[in-house]
Amino acid sequence: MSIQLSNLEHLPGYIITERLDVVYGSTVRSKHVGKDIFASLKNIVGGELTAYTELLEESRQEAIDRMLVKAEALGADAVVGIRFSTSSIAQGASELFVYGTAVRAIPDRGTAFNNRTAPTANPYSEPFTAAPQATQVPPLPPEGTKNQ
């Protein structure tokens, strides 16, 4: 079963038929001492701390996977409104938390997103017309005067 993920409150091309529950996943990770020493040296000269980038990427994926297990257990088709949060748990350890709303959804037969096809109508086929000219706005009254 493939669960769709969206950081939007809706799922484009689908109609949400049922909101099931809030689902979440988290992981707590600590830094590796060797990588921490290397990162401290890298901090002196500047640049990306790739060891930390990789650690965060692994943490995000693990938290998402845990959230998906909960969504599947509810029979969800998608999770919408996905958000990430981080917090410091202890010296050198952080939690990465992801949460969203598990929903059931059906394809919206009236949208162009159905079956991943493009719309048949060409939005550029209409003749181009210039936007109407803006009207002049009167200047503001001088400071210290009241509108009467």
Side-chain angles (χ1 to χ4, degrees):
M1 175 183 213
S2 175
I3 294 182
Q4 296 190 60
L5 303 176
S6 175
N7 63 338
L8 303 172
E9 299 302 321
H10 63 281
L11 196 59
Y14 289 81
I15 298 170
I16 293 174
T17 59
E18 187 178 359
R19 285 170 176 75
L20 300 171
D21 202 357
V22 172
V23 289
Y24 63 88
S26 70
T27 183
V28 176
R29 297 285 181 104
S30 65
K31 299 180 278 186
H32 183 276
V33 175
K35 291 180 180 181
D36 198 33
I37 292 169
F38 177 73
S40 297
L41 295 173
K42 183 76 169 185
N43 199 25
I44 294 170
V45 295
E48 181 181 8
L49 303 175
T50 54
Y52 289 158
T53 301
E54 292 168 3
L55 178 67
L56 283 171
E57 182 60 34
E58 291 169 5
S59 298
R60 274 188 220 96
Q61 193 58 56
E62 186 171 327
I64 288 171
D65 291 345
R66 290 177 178 177
M67 179 183 68
L68 288 174
V69 166
K70 290 177 172 69
E72 284 177 351
L74 294 172
D77 299 314
V79 178
V80 297
I82 293 176
R83 302 291 184 266
F84 287 90
S85 177
T86 60
S87 60
S88 179
I89 300 297
Q91 179 76 19
S94 296
E95 176 189 36
L96 191 131
F97 186 76
V98 61
Y99 60 96
T101 303
V103 299
R104 288 195 179 113
I106 59 172
D108 184 355
R109 303 281 180 217
T111 67
F113 292 102
N114 191 29
N115 295 328
R116 303 284 188 237
T117 58
T120 55
N122 182 353
Y124 303 107
S125 62
E126 296 295 319
F128 176 76
T129 56
Q133 294 297 317
T135 58
Q136 283 215 326
V137 177
L140 293 173
E143 286 189 38
T145 62
K146 291 184 178 180
N147 287 343
Q148 299 181 10

